[in-house]
Amino acid sequence: MTYKNLLIDIENGMAIVTINRPKAMNALNEITLTELQDAFVNCAEDDAIQVIIITGSGEKAFVAGADIAAMQPLTALEARQFAKLGHQVMRTIEGCPKPVIAAVNGFALGGGCELALGCDIRIVAENVKFGQPEVNLGVIPGFGGTQRLARLIGKGRAMELIFTGAMVDASEAYRIGLANKVVPFDQLLDTAKAMAATIISKGSYAVQFAKEAIHNGLELDLDRANQYEAELFGLCFATKDQKEGMLAFLEKRQAKFKGE
Ligand code: DAK
């Protein structure tokens, strides 16, 4: 996988996807979004990859938003197309059967905050600044921020952030549930990799079904969601990892999962 604005490193069962447009604070333009879409489809299909980590190059920015210079002259129809591309990328990340960890360094604004929201887990550096500053530009969040931010941190807090365009620092992000973990910048990637390694050591089907159950179940009422969970729970018993995991417990030894 070779891209213009992305770097992809594959090691120990994980793919590290780095958005690499440091001169524009890793802002998301059409090429970058198209490449992200392609990279996540490829990572989803690659059996050598079990967890994906996404980060931004440099210390200053994860992603400072959708590319304002590219967006400024768009017509309404072009803007709609651009928003659809962004939505498609976020959906691809959410729908990716493998866990996706955002390692968020520096500014995660607008489309950058929305990209982090599309990921399953957010580990952030102490210098992080989250925000949805679109109202400063005369627009609203266009890559799902009005929906995912409210779902993650609640309607009232999401409205405050989106109406004021205010930025949130690391401790506040952690307090309101936007960040799972806060670490010094120089430990960011290692912390994300350590979490990825822990996830990789589990039965990969169990992790995959858990992601499906949580992600899709949240869109359903509780009875249907529980039914959906029951189906996926049952499906776990079609895997060798379930037999091995339970046998290992009974034999008082560490399970050897094979992802089968
Ligand atoms: N787009 C393009 N370039 C950007 C950028 C961005 N979002 N953010 C920063 N840059 C560029 C700057 O223009 C500057 O470029 P040069 O002048 O050096 O060529 C370079 O990165 C360094 O930025 P600064 O000089 O401004 O650096 P500072 O440290 O002083 O400030 C900052 C850092 C992140 C606070 C500041 O750059 C900033 O406020 N950036 C904009 C943040 C922002 O407003 N982000 C939200 C973008 S809007 C929709 C689809 C999508 C969206 C909405 C609607 N539809 C189609 C309906 C999504 C919108 C957004 O994400």
Side-chain angles (χ1 to χ4, degrees):
M1 288 184 262
T2 315
Y3 298 107
K4 183 166 176 273
N5 294 337
L6 301 182
L7 304 171
I8 314 280
D9 292 304
I10 298 172
E11 57 181 63
N12 304 323
M14 55 190 92
I16 296 124
V17 177
T18 305
I19 300 172
N20 188 34
R21 286 189 80 207
K23 283 187 187 149
M25 296 232 173
N26 303 321
L28 300 173
N29 58 3
E30 192 182 334
I31 297 176
T32 312
L33 286 168
T34 305
E35 290 185 347
L36 277 172
Q37 171 67 20
D38 188 72
F40 274 89
V41 168
N42 285 333
C43 287
E45 285 172 359
D46 188 337
D47 289 340
I49 297 168
Q50 291 183 56
V51 175
I52 301 152
I53 296 170
I54 181 161
T55 193
S57 72
E59 188 169 351
K60 217 170 162 192
F62 173 69
V63 168
D67 190 315
I68 299 169
M71 275 192 301
Q72 193 276 338
L74 295 183
T75 65
L77 290 179
E78 288 167 343
R80 184 172 71 169
Q81 201 50 42
F82 186 62
K84 279 186 179 173
L85 177 60
H87 280 295
Q88 185 190 17
V89 172
M90 307 312 158
R91 270 301 199 197
T92 300
I93 293 173
E94 272 177 343
C96 177
K98 299 160 186 183
V100 182
I101 300 172
V104 188
N105 48 311
F107 292 108
L109 303 175
C113 185
E114 291 167 305
L115 179 62
L117 290 169
C119 298
D120 302 320
I121 293 166
R122 283 151 292 281
I123 299 176
V124 312
E126 285 167 346
N127 70 339
V128 81
K129 295 273 187 206
F130 280 108
Q132 296 285 170
E134 286 87 347
V135 288
N136 296 333
L137 302 165
V139 294
I140 67 168
F143 295 159
T146 58
Q147 306 309 308
R148 290 192 185 89
L149 191 61
R151 281 166 167 78
L152 187 67
I153 66 170
K155 185 174 152 189
R157 286 195 172 110
M159 286 197 171
E160 180 185 337
L161 284 184
I162 291 170
F163 294 173
T164 64
M167 290 190 207
V168 165
D169 67 13
S171 59
E172 178 69 353
Y174 182 72
R175 194 182 71 81
I176 63 179
L178 193 44
N180 293 68
K181 212 183 250 284
V182 180
V183 295
F185 172 73
D186 61 4
Q187 291 169 27
L188 180 65
L189 213 48
D190 283 347
T191 307
K193 286 181 186 177
M195 188 183 283
T198 300
I199 296 169
I200 288 168
S201 73
K202 313 298 175 192
S204 57
Y205 278 113
V207 172
Q208 181 178 323
F209 295 159
K211 175 170 175 172
E212 262 185 74
I214 295 167
H215 178 60
N216 295 331
L218 279 172
E219 306 302 321
L220 304 172
D221 64 67
L222 190 58
D223 285 339
R224 280 167 201 249
N226 281 339
Q227 178 62 36
Y228 185 57
E229 182 192 76
E231 299 298 334
L232 288 168
F233 182 80
L235 204 53
C236 291
F237 288 72
T239 68
K240 289 184 184 164
D241 283 349
Q242 174 269 325
K243 300 287 175 265
E244 163 62 11
M246 293 193 178
L247 187 63
F249 175 82
L250 295 172
E251 292 177 353
K252 301 188 189 307
R253 61 173 173 81
Q254 201 71 30
K256 293 191 190 83
F257 292 120
K258 292 185 177 158
E260 294 172 2

